[in-house]
Amino acid sequence: MQAEIITIGDEILIGQIVDTNSAWLGEKLNAAGIRIHRITSVSDTARHIEQAVGEALKRSDVVICTGGLGPTKDDITKHTLARMFGMALVRDEAVYEQVRRMTELRHIDFNELNQAQALVPEGCVVLPNRCGTAPGMWFERDGRVLVSLPGVPFEMKALVDEQVLPRLCEHFRFRAIVHRTAITFGMAESILAETIAGWESALPGYLHLAYLPSALCIRLRLSAYEIDREEAEREIGRQFEQLERIIPYSIVGYGDVSLESITGDLLRARGATVATAESCTGGNIARRFTALPGASDYFRGGVVAYSNDVKRSLLGVNGGDLERFGAVSRPVAEQMAEGVRRATGSVYGIATTGVAGPSGGTPDKPVGTVWMAVSGPEGTFSLRMTFGSLRSQNIERASSHAINLLRLRLCGAPDHGLGTIRY
């Protein structure tokens, strides 16, 4: 079972909006056993819509279009599809009445443009839209299905959940598609691939491994297509258990977890708290923690100690060490972590100090150099890393590695697994 997604709208092509509909649809359809093999974006022109839809229907069992169903003149999808399928536009009384009631409730004039929303291709199946004025439309040709949906995300999502997916499940027989994703952190992609090469080579033939790297982590996704779901889930579980034995402290978790969410869970389980002292990361670590629901269970507070005066006065960093070693140094990072822990009464303190860039680097401390430290009951541990020249990436990467340093301490990782570098 193969499907395509077509998003329609000049606003997507010129970058005015981001196409989030395709990502959501891909995840939803895949979970239902429908494999997406192509996503296309086209402009609000009849020729491009006809070409994209016509070619998609030759290749795919299911084609889902979003966009171009509004009441204004630039929304031409409905008219174009009606012409393609040789159908006249007729008024659907149920849609007409729904739109009339909706405009009345919203104190909007029920003018000709709104009334025209009730015009639908005569031979399609109308999918009433309880969230908006543009109905969805279901077409069939030669055993293939085309679904046209409004581009407004919350309207599209309601139609897919309530009508499109149930209809597709009735119309086709799907075999399961199973995915599970492990989140890893702390190993470069090439080193990770080399380390797990033996495990990867021994995977059963029906399991497919994908590497999904980003600035924040590397995701390892195992997928099985058109196979018994329970069998696939059991085998994927066994394979990830083996992987955990190979890279035990590099696997953060599974699914949609993040470094901060897993670290927050570890703190909560221990009844422990954390506070942050940030210089080069400018409060980003605190932001990432406090963006999580329930962070007040373990997050005590943070200090953005950007200047040396603040490092001394609020965190108790020794002035002599600042003069001797500089702000970007192991002693300062460790004293910042200890100081914020002491000032807030937290069990753990995290600190960062570095050269985020693009200027300010020196030969011994180039742009991207960051010292980070974690202080806790077990002692104070520090790490020096050198990233790149892009300020935004340096901030995110430093934040991630500092959070990971705490996670590793909470997991009981051996000291040699922390990559600790002493100044």
Side-chain angles (χ1 to χ4, degrees), residues 158-202:
L159 281 164
V160 169
D161 284 334
E162 297 169 7
Q163 299 190 61
V164 177
L165 278 178
R167 283 181 175 275
L168 287 173
C169 290
E170 289 179 6
H171 196 82
F172 298 100
R173 288 186 174 273
F174 305 135
R175 296 201 71 189
I177 298 174
V178 180
H179 301 292
R180 192 179 182 201
T181 303
I183 313 300
T184 74
F185 187 83
M187 300 179 74
E189 185 179 7
S190 58
I191 302 301
L192 176 62
E194 183 180 52
T195 304
I196 67 174
W199 171 83
E200 182 178 355
S201 298

Side-chain angles (χ1 to χ4, degrees), residues 51-85:
Q51 183 180 17
V53 171
E55 291 177 355
L57 285 172
K58 294 175 184 177
R59 293 186 295 257
S60 302
D61 305 290
V62 178
V63 179
I64 296 184
C65 300
T66 68
L69 298 182
T72 55
K73 290 182 179 180
D74 61 328
D75 290 307
I76 62 170
T77 300
K78 178 169 60 178
H79 300 273
T80 304
L81 296 179
R83 186 168 57 253
M84 285 185 66
F85 282 85

Side-chain angles (χ1 to χ4, degrees), residues 1-4 25-38 61-62 165 169 172-181 206-208 210 221-234 236:
M1 173 61 60
Q2 290 196 130
E4 292 191 36
L25 278 167
E27 182 178 7
K28 271 286 182 180
L29 295 175
N30 208 262
I34 305 171
R35 191 171 183 177
I36 304 297
H37 71 105
R38 186 177 298 220
D61 305 290
V62 178
L165 278 178
C169 290
F172 298 100
R173 288 186 174 273
F174 305 135
R175 296 201 71 189
I177 298 174
V178 180
H179 301 292
R180 192 179 182 201
T181 303
Y206 64 87
L207 289 184
H208 306 274
R221 188 188 68 224
L222 278 179
S223 302
Y225 298 95
E226 298 188 356
I227 194 170
D228 178 76
R229 179 178 295 276
E230 291 185 3
E231 176 189 344
E233 288 177 345
R234 282 195 300 270
I236 288 174

Side-chain angles (χ1 to χ4, degrees), residues 122-401:
E122 189 172 17
C124 77
V125 176
V126 177
L127 308 176
N129 179 2
R130 65 175 178 82
C131 299
T133 61
M137 297 170 291
W138 174 292
F139 301 84
E140 295 182 23
R141 174 187 283 178
D142 301 328
R144 301 174 189 268
V145 170
L146 168 71
V147 182
S148 179
L149 300 172
V152 180
F154 74 91
E155 295 182 26
M156 180 274 297
K157 291 176 181 180
L159 281 164
V160 169
D161 284 334
E162 297 169 7
Q163 299 190 61
V164 177
L165 278 178
R167 283 181 175 275
L168 287 173
C169 290
E170 289 179 6
H171 196 82
F172 298 100
R173 288 186 174 273
F174 305 135
R175 296 201 71 189
I177 298 174
V178 180
H179 301 292
R180 192 179 182 201
T181 303
I183 313 300
T184 74
F185 187 83
M187 300 179 74
E189 185 179 7
S190 58
I191 302 301
L192 176 62
E194 183 180 52
T195 304
I196 67 174
W199 171 83
E200 182 178 355
S201 298
L203 288 171
Y206 64 87
L207 289 184
H208 306 274
L209 177 66
Y211 290 79
L212 307 171
S214 73
L216 298 182
C217 65
I218 298 175
R219 291 176 169 83
L220 298 176
R221 188 188 68 224
L222 278 179
S223 302
Y225 298 95
E226 298 188 356
I227 194 170
D228 178 76
R229 179 178 295 276
E230 291 185 3
E231 176 189 344
E233 288 177 345
R234 282 195 300 270
E235 183 58 32
I236 288 174
R238 282 195 292 268
Q239 292 297 332
F240 276 134
E241 285 177 4
Q242 293 180 24
L243 186 63
E244 288 179 3
R245 290 192 285 271
I246 300 169
I247 50 171
Y249 297 109
S250 294
I251 293 182
V252 175
Y254 296 90
D256 294 327
V257 302
S258 62
L259 280 168
E260 53 267 30
S261 69
I262 286 295
T263 304
D265 290 343
L266 291 169
L267 289 165
R268 186 184 286 112
R270 288 188 172 203
T273 55
V274 66
T276 57
E278 302 181 62
S279 184
C280 62
T281 52
N284 192 51
I285 299 173
R287 179 195 63 79
R288 285 171 58 170
F289 275 125
T290 57
L292 300 169
S296 59
D297 292 346
Y298 51 82
F299 188 78
R300 295 278 291 175
V303 175
V304 178
Y306 216 60
S307 73
N308 286 350
D309 288 343
V310 175
K311 291 179 178 69
R312 282 192 297 264
S313 60
L314 293 186
L315 299 175
V317 175
N318 183 277
D321 287 340
L322 281 166
E323 289 291 332
R324 180 182 176 190
F325 301 110
V328 182
S329 63
R330 171 201 161 203
V332 170
E334 292 189 350
Q335 289 174 50
M336 287 172 66
E338 292 161 358
V340 78
R341 179 185 173 208
R342 182 172 58 248
T344 60
S346 297
V347 178
Y348 292 93
I350 299 178
T352 58
T353 179
V355 187
S359 59
T362 63
D364 62 327
K365 297 175 185 177
V367 169
T369 301
V370 179
W371 273 98
M372 55 202 73
V374 168
S375 178
E378 307 89 354
T380 301
F381 299 82
S382 55
L383 174 67
R384 173 179 170 161
M385 301 200 75
T386 303
F387 303 110
S389 59
L390 296 178
R391 183 178 182 86
S392 60
Q393 287 190 7
N394 291 338
I395 290 170
E396 285 299 343
R397 287 173 175 165
S399 300
S400 294
H401 279 278

